[in-house]
Amino acid sequence: MAGSGLPSDWEVRHSNSKNLPYYFNASTKESRWEPPEGTDTEALKAYMATHHSASQVRPVEASVNGAKEGKIRAAHLLVKHKDSRRPSSWREATITRSKDEATEIVKGHQAKIQSGQSSLGELAVTESDCSSARKKGDLGFFGQGEMQKEFEEAAFALKPGEVSNVVETASGVHLIER
């Protein structure tokens, strides 16, 4: 795909079941959620923001009365670091930043949100290391026991419309919006 930053024979496809883009090698028929080795991550980031942003993803349908009993809906922005559970993402095949660097990046995003310069959803599209970035960080509805403990506690403590402070989990460093 010209301009995508992907190595030869790789392309971006869209999963109908997960409503997310993934990477596919037309020669080997390999598919994966993370970018392949040899990807130009800056070119991929720009390509994904232009061609696979939240404005082109179908919205998740809510039930008639919104969430089911005991469930909440949240979005997040995740910045992974080298000690994260899986230190790779759609943005970078191998993440080498430290936990402190990831925290500083998240604090910078938090300042933009608090100042009104940007929203969490707008930033998540290009800055989040989670594949939910294409859905403006939307994780859909979830209940107790479905997310990592630290994430869940922070998300359930928020009122609708609120954004958390920095939250650390095994996945990395997050901002969460309920």
Side-chain angles (χ1 to χ4, degrees):
M1 294 191 128
S4 69
L6 292 170
S8 179
D9 294 328
W10 284 91
E11 59 189 63
V12 179
R13 291 194 174 176
H14 192 86
S15 165
N16 290 324
S17 61
K18 296 211 180 267
N19 197 21
L20 290 172
Y22 65 95
Y23 306 99
F24 181 76
N25 184 311
S27 296
T28 65
K29 308 297 184 216
E30 177 187 357
S31 63
R32 57 189 299 167
W33 294 109
E34 308 299 337
E37 250 344 281
T39 297
D40 177 340
T41 55
E42 287 305 309
L44 179 61
K45 180 178 167 182
Y47 177 84
M48 295 302 282
T50 303
H51 299 286
H52 289 275
S53 68
S55 63
Q56 297 154 341
V57 176
R58 295 176 297 281
V60 176
E61 293 294 323
S63 66
V64 175
N65 296 320
K68 293 189 171 153
E69 189 68 31
K71 293 194 174 213
I72 63 169
R73 187 172 195 169
H76 77 135
L77 187 156
L78 168 65
V79 177
K80 292 183 176 184
H81 50 80
K82 64 184 178 185
D83 297 318
S84 293
R85 179 171 57 181
R86 217 176 71 238
S88 66
S89 77
W90 69 273
R91 297 177 63 227
E92 298 176 76
T94 303
I95 294 173
T96 59
R97 74 179 67 88
S98 70
K99 184 176 180 181
D100 288 342
E101 290 169 321
T103 301
E104 287 307 309
I105 292 168
V106 169
K107 286 180 178 177
H109 296 324
Q110 183 179 32
K112 289 179 185 175
I113 294 165
Q114 289 173 339
S115 72
Q117 182 182 350
S118 192
S119 70
L120 183 140
E122 290 167 343
L123 288 169
V125 170
T126 57
E127 304 304 318
S128 182
D129 285 318
C130 181
S131 59
S132 68
R134 262 73 96 221
K135 298 186 290 182
K136 294 187 175 183
D138 184 15
L139 297 170
F141 292 101
F142 58 90
Q144 300 281 348
E146 294 181 41
M147 297 288 181
Q148 292 174 25
K149 184 178 189 283
E150 304 88 348
F151 187 96
E152 182 180 293
E153 287 174 356
F156 274 86
L158 296 169
K159 293 182 177 91
E162 284 184 333
V163 177
S164 71
N165 284 317
V166 174
V167 176
E168 294 179 12
T169 70
S171 296
V173 184
H174 311 252
L175 287 176
I176 306 166
E177 181 176 34
R178 179 156 169 208

